[in-house]
Amino acid sequence: MSHPADPFAEIRAQLRLDDLQKRDDTLPIKLSIMTSTCYRYSQLQRMLETLCRQDWKEFEVLICDDGDTTDLTPIFQQFEPYLRIKTTRREKPQFSVDPTGGFLTLFPIASGEYWALMQPELMLYPEVCRTLYEGHLKELPSDVVLYNPRIGTSETLIKWNEINGRQTWV
């Protein structure tokens, strides 16, 4: 499935899942990690593997299938034994690389105390989720500027604030 949004779409992701621990549903959900994806199959798989390898597991992963023409369900099912995953699908009249609409569909289903938005091409070090929650999310500098879609338009930036009552880090 070649597509300009994923130059690696034809390259099968080389994953190593046999050494992963199964998810622990008894842990609280303190962080909601959200991504919106369209035509980024191998990138999405690699990102999900890096989330499986986090040394701190008190998070959920929310994914918006943002109008992809291929069924992403097999990818979601591949990682459900290891991650707490929630998914939505957004139909779009035409291709667009703007993930804002996809993120907006995820906000109402987020359970975490804090939210982090990320692109599917990001691959994270094993300590990133813990560091986000324990450090940076609680002690962000006062000059950090974030966009809040509930308050402003896409051109309006605001300082650290809340979306749906939860502090959000982008």
Side-chain angles (χ1 to χ4, degrees):
M1 303 282 160
S2 181
H3 197 279
D6 185 358
F8 304 101
E10 296 295 331
I11 300 171
R12 185 180 170 131
Q14 295 184 11
L15 305 173
R16 192 185 76 208
L17 306 179
D18 58 335
D19 64 329
L20 295 175
Q21 294 179 358
K22 300 291 186 192
R23 72 175 191 238
D24 182 352
D25 292 331
T26 66
L27 293 173
I29 295 174
K30 296 181 178 180
L31 177 64
S32 293
I33 299 170
M34 301 180 209
T35 192
S36 179
T37 185
C38 186
Y39 300 109
R40 295 186 176 181
Y41 322 112
S42 61
Q43 293 176 358
L44 177 62
Q45 287 178 297
R46 290 181 186 101
M47 179 203 75
L48 290 171
E49 182 183 357
T50 66
L51 288 171
C52 290
R53 297 191 178 283
Q54 293 298 301
D55 63 6
W56 182 80
K57 306 286 187 185
E58 297 178 29
F59 63 89
E60 66 180 351
V61 180
L62 288 76
I63 305 167
C64 178
D65 173 351
D66 206 6
D68 205 313
T69 56
T70 301
D71 183 10
L72 298 179
T73 304
I75 294 174
F76 303 151
Q77 290 173 339
Q78 181 180 27
F79 289 93
E80 282 178 341
Y82 312 107
L83 296 168
R84 292 181 279 189
I85 297 177
K86 295 178 187 173
T87 63
T88 63
R89 177 164 172 78
R90 185 171 80 110
E91 298 293 336
K92 299 187 298 188
Q94 63 190 24
F95 175 73
S96 166
V97 293
D98 179 15
T100 306
F103 287 126
L104 290 174
T105 66
L106 297 173
F107 293 161
I109 63 171
S111 302
E113 177 183 350
Y114 295 98
W115 296 356
L117 311 181
M118 66 184 289
Q119 296 297 326
E121 63 270 15
L122 295 177
M123 292 185 281
L124 307 176
Y125 287 105
E127 65 277 359
V128 167
C129 288
R130 176 180 36 80
T131 302
L132 279 174
Y133 181 77
E134 291 178 355
H136 297 289
L137 288 177
K138 293 184 178 182
E139 300 296 331
L140 280 177
S142 61
D143 62 346
V144 169
V145 176
L146 299 173
Y147 167 65
N148 184 331
R150 301 279 186 234
I151 294 176
T153 65
S154 60
E155 293 81 33
T156 303
L157 293 177
I158 61 165
K159 291 197 180 287
W160 178 256
N161 206 326
E162 294 185 354
I163 301 174
N164 283 359
R166 294 177 183 92
Q167 294 184 4
T168 304
W169 182 82
V170 182

